[in-house]
């Protein structure tokens, strides 16, 4: 293990004698690679299902869903293959264990790619909600054409690159940053002294706070607008030119998107709450840190499962494979006019 030590602030200590395999980088890389054996084929299969099975009545959802799944798969690969993060809560510090670290890419920018992947997932959900919003004919206040929509998407993606940039622009000496963190983490695991370990910030930087807060306001604000505006018009706005059957089908599609958004993100709640607790109380437990990252890495698996389960044509297609039913046709599900429904979005029935 001594060969892995790089930083001059390393101090021999007996405190690590109580650390188990579950505290180690070896444990994390084993779990990450094991998960990749399942999640990568599963993601590829989901690409096939979206392309092959999406019925004509959902055709305008296909491209946004494919884009969202591309970035969901990217986030999954970020966790399990090319970044494989080993974090040191309560500090903003980590060690990439994945392919990019093996290729000697600077750790700071590996972390940036991972951070960016999470932000872009949020932007993609905004784009999915806007897609549903744009398909509701009774809404007058919306993006008017594809050209402006493309500009809207580009601006959101560019902002995603900028929200977190202040984390990575500070070139302060790593030994100084590490000394601050070592005042909090008295006995970090040996991986803390690996040459690829990076400490991003000391904590409390105003530029970081402003940037992250602005990003949250912009992304969450857009999500609330598109979802709230859509829910209002589908459930409460009156329009004699739109049938209840059409509104019922639109409610169903919006329900798909909302559930596709909310269910996978619930897997992030516990790790985020734990990281906030660790930060507030200067609590360090590497085993808990590792478990938190494993839970977060399950986001891709849960997101893919949601796509295949909550969207009825996809779910029925998977069942047809299991039952060996070669006559499955997704378009037949909505071949007839949908029946009027009094169900409001928020009580979703697939």
């Amino acid at each position: 293990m001594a060969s892995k030590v790089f930083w001059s602030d390393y101090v021999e200590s007996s405190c690590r004698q109580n650390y188990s395999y579950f505290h180690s980088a070896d444990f994390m890389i084993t779990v990450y690679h094991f998960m990749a054996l399942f999640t990568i084929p599963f993601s590829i299969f989901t690409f096939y299902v979206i392309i092959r099975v999406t019925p004509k009545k959902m055709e305008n959802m296909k491209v946004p869903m494919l884009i969202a799944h591309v970035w969901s798969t990217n986030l999954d690969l970020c966790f399990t293959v090319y970044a494989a993060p080993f974090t040191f809560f309560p500090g903003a510090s980590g060690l990439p264990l994945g392919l990019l670290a093996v290729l000697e890419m600077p750790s700071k920018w590996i972390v940036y790619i991972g951070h960016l992947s999470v932000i872009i997932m949020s932007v993609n959900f905004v784009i999915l909600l806007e897609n549903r919003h744009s398909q509701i004919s009774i809404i007058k206040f919306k993006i008017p054409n594809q050209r402006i929509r493309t500009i809207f998407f580009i601006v959101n993606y560019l902002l995603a690159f900028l929200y977190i940039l202040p984390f990575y622009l500070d070139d302060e000496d790593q030994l100084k940053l590490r000394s601050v963190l070592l005042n909090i983490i008295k006995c970090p695991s040996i991986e803390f002294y690996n040459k690829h370990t990076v400490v991003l910030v000391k904590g409390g930087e105003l530029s970081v706070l402003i940037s992250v807060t602005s990003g949250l306001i912009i992304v969450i604000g857009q999500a609330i607008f598109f979802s709230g505006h859509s829910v209002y018009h589908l459930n409460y706005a009156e329009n004699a030119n739109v049938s209840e059957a059409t509104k019922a089908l639109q409610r169903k599609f919006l329900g798909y998107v909302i559930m596709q958004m909310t269910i996978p993100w619930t897997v992030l709640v516990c790790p985020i709450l734990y990281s906030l607790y660790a930060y507030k109380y200067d609590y360090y437990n590497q085993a808990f840190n590792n478990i938190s990252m494993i839970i977060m890495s399950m986001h891709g698996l849960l997101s893919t499962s949601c796509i295949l389960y909550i969207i009825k044509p996809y779910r029925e297609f998977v069942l047809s494979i299991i039952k060996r039913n070669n006559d499955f046709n997704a378009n037949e599900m909505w071949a007839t006019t949908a029946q009027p429904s009094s169900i409001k979005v928020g009580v979703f029935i697939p």
Side-chain angles (χ1 to χ4, degrees), residues 143-151 153:
I143 298 176
N145 56 58
Q146 189 58 45
R147 181 180 178 182
I148 296 178
R149 182 171 293 107
T150 301
I151 295 172
F153 293 166

Side-chain angles (χ1 to χ4, degrees), residues 3 27 62 99 108 148 150 158 164 177 192 256 333:
S3 63
F27 167 68
K62 181 186 286 189
L99 179 63
K108 176 185 288 188
I148 296 178
T150 301
L158 288 176
I164 56 173
L177 292 173
F192 186 76
Y256 287 158
M333 290 189 176

